[in-house]
Amino acid sequence: MIETLRQTAVEAKARLAEVEDLDELAELDVEFLGKKSAVTLAKRQLGSLDPDERRTAGREVNEIRAEIETAVESARERLAQAARVLRIEAERLDLTEFRGKARRGSLHLVTQSRDRLEDVFVGMGFTVAEGPEVESAWYNFEALNIPEWHPARGSFDTIFVDLGEPEEVMLRSHTSPVQIRTMENQKPPIYIVAPGRTFRTDTADATHLPAFNQIEGLVVDRGITMGDLAGTIDEFVHTFFGGDVKSRLRPSYFPFTEPSAEFDISRADGTWLELGGCGMVHPNVLRNCGIDPDEWQGFAFGFGIDRLAVMRHELDDIRELVNNDVRFLRQF
Ligand code: FA5
């Protein structure tokens, strides 16, 4: 009997070593360890043996049963491990699969220009400042030497926000209010640029947008002259556009600078493109911010970032920047 059982155990171990799924394993479990299995039957037969034989045979039957049980357990463990590997494999997200098929996104043209402008000015020793997009009349106009009666106030085509009394509130029509906020909070020497969104009632056309971007520059220090302003703009233009592009200043008028100028840059066809305004900070503006104009002088400039992107990428129409046509945007 024991001899037959041993052979059964050898067969059981061989078949368990090759079992391939849990159903098959359950069948083998029943076949070799269940109620009708050789081991269970052998155990039952032990009763008919005399006590000495029963003890020896009983020990052997138990050993054989334990061997088969161990084989069943290790088969179960092997299948569980294989199932884990399969599951992990199935759940894996192979992102590399999409390489080449999916296009990587890129920053918008205006954001690229703004980042590059910041880089150039930071490289020249400026820091970057910010201000709110919704402003009071004090910051957008009055502190900038544009009182209520001033005709220049009309030229800014301001979009007002109706919040009722006591204050007149508007979307800022230029980034110049950041000059005031900076001088209120910071003592000279000041060297800042402030890029940001600006808003006017302008109708969109090839060169205008109602919501556009400007970058403001402000320097306040001792002994600052118009020569420093011209030199800074020249240096910026060379760094931003490369060696061939020239800049020039033309006399102009802004209430917050005196003297004031527009500055243009040269195009490849020999013509000039107006980029923005600039000038020496008006003494009234310094005084409005508690800075003594006899001790400190400054220059300021402000120009359009969208127009700069148009120039840099030779676009025909500034509206391309806001149409959000992906066929256009993908080119950059
Ligand atoms: C100003 O806004 C002054 N604050 C600039 C300034 C700052 C002068 C500091 C002196 C000292 P102006 O209105 O010219 O100036 O606008 C400046 C630039 O913003 C323009 O040259 C143009 O490049 C851009 N810009 C103005 N309006 C629009 C618009 N509707 N769409 C796109 N760009 C515009």
Side-chain angles (χ1 to χ4, degrees):
M1 177 185 82
I2 295 297
E3 202 42 48
T4 327
L5 264 191
R6 284 222 174 87
Q7 273 167 19
T8 308
V10 170
E11 185 200 336
K13 283 193 263 179
R15 287 175 57 194
L16 283 164
E18 277 171 12
V19 68
E20 275 176 1
D21 63 53
L22 287 169
D23 290 343
E24 210 186 317
L25 176 65
E27 283 169 20
L28 291 182
D29 195 358
V30 172
E31 183 179 338
F32 291 108
L33 297 169
K35 279 187 198 142
K36 293 181 188 152
S37 67
V39 190
T40 309
L41 292 178
K43 231 178 180 172
R44 272 192 215 133
Q45 286 166 17
L46 291 175
S48 58
L49 300 175
D50 65 51
D52 276 355
E53 272 184 332
R54 197 190 301 156
R55 202 175 302 120
T56 332
R59 198 182 305 125
E60 298 217 39
V61 171
N62 279 343
E63 273 170 22
I64 291 168
R65 188 183 172 84
E67 268 176 47
I68 299 174
E69 277 172 355
T70 310
V72 168
E73 269 324 298
S74 61
R76 202 186 304 284
E77 182 48 40
R78 177 169 56 77
L79 291 179
Q81 170 67 14
R84 265 198 299 277
V85 169
L86 281 180
R87 203 183 60 236
I88 289 168
E89 195 60 32
E91 286 174 359
R92 201 171 112 203
L93 288 177
D94 185 359
L95 298 174
T96 57
E97 188 182 333
F98 295 105
R99 220 185 254 165
K101 285 189 209 151
R103 237 189 75 88
R104 285 185 65 183
S106 57
L107 292 174
H108 190 275
L109 272 189
V110 173
T111 312
Q112 288 180 28
S113 296
R114 179 184 160 153
D115 286 353
R116 200 167 140 70
L117 281 168
E118 285 184 14
D119 285 351
V120 170
F121 281 110
V122 166
M124 289 166 71
F126 288 74
T127 54
V128 178
E130 274 190 337
E133 290 175 358
V134 182
E135 278 291 12
S136 64
W138 167 257
Y139 288 104
N140 200 60
F141 291 129
E142 266 131 57
L144 286 161
N145 204 31
I146 320 174
E148 203 163 357
W149 50 264
H150 203 291
R153 206 135 153 170
S155 72
F156 279 99
D157 303 314
T158 311
I159 300 174
F160 291 91
V161 182
D162 188 5
L163 296 181
E165 297 289 320
E167 250 187 330
E168 208 177 25
V169 177
M170 59 209 67
L171 300 184
R172 65 178 175 190
S173 46
H174 50 171
T175 43
S176 298
V178 188
Q179 288 188 35
I180 306 301
R181 290 184 177 274
T182 306
M183 287 190 278
E184 275 180 353
N185 293 318
Q186 223 173 295
K187 292 208 174 326
I190 293 170
Y191 290 78
I192 57 114
V193 285
R197 293 210 299 168
T198 45
F199 309 85
R200 291 185 194 178
T201 53
D202 291 347
T203 305
D205 63 23
T207 53
H208 293 82
L209 292 172
F212 56 103
N213 295 270
Q214 289 189 340
I215 184 165
E216 193 80 10
L218 172 70
V219 166
V220 182
D221 207 338
R222 289 192 176 89
I224 294 290
T225 68
M226 197 81 180
D228 296 307
L229 168 60
T232 303
I233 287 178
D234 214 39
E235 179 66 28
F236 153 71
V237 167
H238 280 142
T239 316
F240 191 82
F241 290 103
D244 295 342
V245 178
K246 294 187 198 64
S247 66
R248 73 172 184 191
L249 298 182
R250 272 182 299 116
S252 183
Y253 172 77
F254 294 99
F256 33 93
T257 45
E258 181 59 35
S260 301
E262 306 266 12
F263 70 90
D264 305 335
I265 54 176
S266 66
R267 284 193 280 219
D269 63 3
T271 59
W272 295 88
L273 177 87
E274 179 203 310
L275 209 57
C278 60
M280 299 304 290
V281 181
H282 197 290
N284 287 350
V285 175
L286 293 172
R287 268 186 224 110
N288 284 339
C289 302
I291 294 175
D292 180 0
D294 292 328
E295 187 181 353
W296 303 97
Q297 299 74 46
F299 68 75
F301 56 83
F303 54 82
I305 301 180
D306 311 77
R307 290 218 184 142
L308 201 114
V310 165
M311 158 93 183
R312 187 150 171 243
H313 297 284
E314 296 173 4
L315 310 180
D316 294 331
D317 194 315
I318 200 169
R319 286 169 293 191
E320 293 283 15
L321 295 174
V322 291
N323 287 342
N324 281 340
D325 182 337
V326 283
R327 288 166 303 178
F328 167 78
L329 293 172
R330 264 189 196 146
Q331 299 172 71
F332 304 98

